[in-house]
Amino acid sequence: MIDSQKTGEKESYITKLINFLYRNRFILLGFLIMVIVFIVGSAVFFELRKGRIEKSTRMVEMLEEDYRVWEAKEEGEDKNKLEENLTTSLKRIIEKYPRLYAAQRAYILLANISFNKEEWDKAAEYFITLSESFPESYLAPVGLANAAISYEAKGEIDNAVETLQILANTYSDTFPEMPHIYFNLGRLYEEIKDYSRAAESYNKLIDNYSNSNWTKLAKDRIIFLTVEGKIQE
């Protein structure tokens, strides 16, 4: 009797489930189609993105070859024409692939062209734009470091200091060239006669990078500043 009751309850449950599925068959079918479309669409998206990454990377690698040719050429009409074509192609990559790795390399090449021509403002602008557009990239601190060099070359020491300070505040835990950055910060602070901050930068280098080749130079600067009475022991 008990078994018969359980069997009836089971059959009743199955019947209700079948009825529910039948009544909602179009909704369930629509949901299933949506899931399939999402899965297929995601696969297509990632394949297309992979294709775009590969294509754009090949394009910028070819332009890197053109850059090396441009860099080696003597000044003249041929070099100017190559620079014009190279610059146009690099800007096109940035416009077409603004969030991909190829755009990062394109910014570096544009900045290097300006840097080699001693167009310091344009070089700094490209380097800064790179770091701001791709803050998580390993090239971001490289861009900031090179922007600081460009500012210093133009004589804008305050801008150079500010840029290196942003680098130090943002990438001190990840950028392998931090010893050099701290030394340059100290050197530039000395140049604008902010000796206490110069000493602070040198001491950060000494305290955190005892094995760096830059550390001995930082210690020498601390001794010099102390002997000259610029800072207190």
Side-chain angles (χ1 to χ4, degrees):
M1 187 72 177
I2 294 176
D3 291 340
S4 175
Q5 183 178 356
K6 287 183 178 179
T7 302
E9 289 176 355
K10 184 176 180 181
E11 289 177 352
S12 176
Y13 172 77
I14 293 173
T15 301
K16 288 179 181 179
L17 178 61
I18 291 172
N19 289 336
F20 172 81
L21 293 174
Y22 181 79
R23 287 196 305 272
N24 297 279
R25 63 190 183 282
F26 295 116
I27 296 174
L28 294 172
L29 180 61
F31 177 74
L32 180 61
I33 291 172
M34 286 175 60
V35 171
I36 293 171
V37 168
F38 175 78
I39 293 171
V40 173
S42 297
V44 171
F45 171 80
F46 286 116
E47 281 300 314
L48 288 174
R49 180 174 173 83
K50 180 181 177 182
R52 282 167 56 84
I53 290 172
E54 292 175 350
K55 180 181 178 181
S56 61
T57 301
R58 285 195 302 269
M59 290 171 64
V60 82
E61 285 174 348
M62 292 174 62
L63 293 175
E64 285 174 341
E65 289 295 326
D66 290 344
Y67 169 78
R68 283 187 279 272
V69 172
W70 171 85
E71 194 175 26
K73 270 187 177 294
E74 296 291 332
E75 295 295 331
E77 185 176 345
D78 287 347
K79 183 167 186 172
N80 293 338
K81 185 64 176 177
L82 179 57
E83 180 188 329
E84 181 181 344
N85 292 337
L86 181 57
T87 300
T88 299
S89 297
L90 289 169
K91 289 181 177 178
R92 189 177 296 126
I93 284 179
I94 292 172
E95 181 179 350
K96 190 171 183 179
Y97 308 102
R99 303 308 308 165
L100 299 186
Y101 177 60
Q104 300 178 43
R105 291 165 70 173
Y107 277 123
I108 287 287
L109 290 173
L110 286 168
N112 286 344
I113 291 171
S114 297
F115 192 93
N116 285 340
K117 295 174 67 179
E118 298 186 2
E119 296 176 346
W120 310 122
D121 281 335
K122 287 177 67 176
E125 182 180 354
Y126 283 127
F127 284 130
I128 292 290
T129 302
L130 164 66
S131 65
E132 290 178 345
S133 300
F134 300 92
E136 302 301 321
S137 169
Y138 75 94
L139 290 175
V142 174
L144 289 171
N146 286 324
I149 293 172
S150 302
Y151 285 133
E152 184 180 2
K154 193 187 175 188
E156 297 181 0
I157 306 303
D158 287 339
N159 284 337
V161 167
E162 181 182 358
T163 303
L164 287 183
Q165 199 63 66
I166 292 171
L167 193 165
N169 292 342
T170 309
Y171 300 102
S172 61
D173 294 334
T174 57
F175 190 44
E177 293 299 318
M178 282 311 301
H180 194 184
I181 297 304
Y182 280 126
F183 184 82
N184 277 341
L185 264 174
R187 178 179 59 80
L188 291 173
Y189 275 127
E190 280 193 67
E191 192 162 335
I192 59 176
K193 302 186 185 331
D194 192 339
Y195 300 114
S196 62
R197 289 193 175 181
E200 181 181 335
S201 297
Y202 291 139
N203 281 322
K204 283 184 179 178
L205 169 53
I206 294 167
D207 293 341
N208 295 296
Y209 304 94
S210 58
N211 295 325
S212 171
N213 292 331
W214 294 102
T215 300
K216 184 181 184 305
L217 295 175
K219 289 178 179 178
D220 290 343
R221 295 311 301 167
I222 289 288
I223 293 171
F224 174 82
L225 292 174
T226 303
V227 170
E228 291 293 310
K230 307 293 187 183
I231 60 173
Q232 302 296 318
E233 288 190 45

